[in-house]
Amino acid sequence: MLTSTNDNPLYIPFIKGPFKGKGATRVAVRELVAEMAQIRQAMDQLIATYNATFARPRLVNLGLIQRRDTYPLMWWRESVGGGPFIQLFQSERSDRGRELLRKAGPNTVSALRDFDRQRLILNFRSKIVGSALEAFVIYERGVDELECEVA
């Protein structure tokens, strides 16, 4: 269960109470945009920390993908020639991830597991905030369209 403290890595600042018109919706959108900016900053910081921790050539690269009008997500990618995206620790989905981890020593695997845990938490937060932001933007457009029809 999510708590209401910022100490929880899964904390999302949910909106309290009923909306009081378009102003409250716009405030909610601004808060979600600010939260997404913080998540993106944390993602950039995690990638920078990963790059500082593991010298080139790396076993895998940690990268960020954000297609237009979507939320950012971090993925593992094989380091050889901009290789394909892989899932390191979800072995039922990626035999290649398992093969790469076998090449690494136990300390490297432990460090990669820590980075992957942080990656998953940030991706989860990004998906939640991104989905909420998308819903509010759709809602706001709908309200604006209705006002144009009524006017």
Side-chain angles (χ1 to χ4, degrees), residues 17 45 48:
Q45 181 61 44

Side-chain angles (χ1 to χ4, degrees), residues 7-130:
D7 297 335
N8 184 336
L10 298 178
Y11 169 71
I12 304 294
F14 291 102
I15 310 328
K16 295 180 182 176
F19 295 129
K20 302 286 185 191
K22 285 193 329 183
T25 304
R26 289 191 175 122
V27 168
V29 168
R30 279 195 303 271
E31 289 174 356
L32 288 167
V33 166
E35 178 68 12
M36 185 58 80
Q38 291 175 353
I39 293 167
R40 175 64 192 260
Q41 183 179 9
M43 288 176 161
D44 290 338
Q45 181 61 44
L46 183 64
I47 292 169
T49 303
Y50 176 79
N51 290 339
T53 302
F54 291 99
R56 290 184 185 260
R58 297 180 189 97
L59 184 67
V60 290
N61 290 320
L62 181 59
L64 186 91
I65 295 179
Q66 183 171 3
R67 293 186 173 89
R68 186 179 42 192
D69 297 330
T70 64
Y71 42 82
L73 295 173
M74 291 185 293
W75 287 89
W76 295 110
R77 191 170 201 164
E78 283 191 55
S79 60
V80 179
F85 297 108
I86 58 171
Q87 299 205 14
L88 285 179
F89 295 99
Q90 291 85 358
S91 60
E92 69 277 1
R93 292 185 175 176
S94 174
D95 290 335
R96 184 65 183 141
R98 205 172 25 231
E99 290 172 23
L100 288 169
L101 290 173
R102 282 190 199 117
K103 295 178 184 178
N107 291 339
T108 300
V109 171
S110 177
L112 286 170
R113 188 179 303 119
D114 290 342
F115 279 106
D116 196 54
R117 180 185 57 78
Q118 293 175 66
R119 177 190 71 87
L120 290 171
I121 289 170
L122 288 170
N123 281 353
F124 177 72
R125 291 179 65 205
S126 180
K127 287 177 185 180
I128 289 174
V129 172

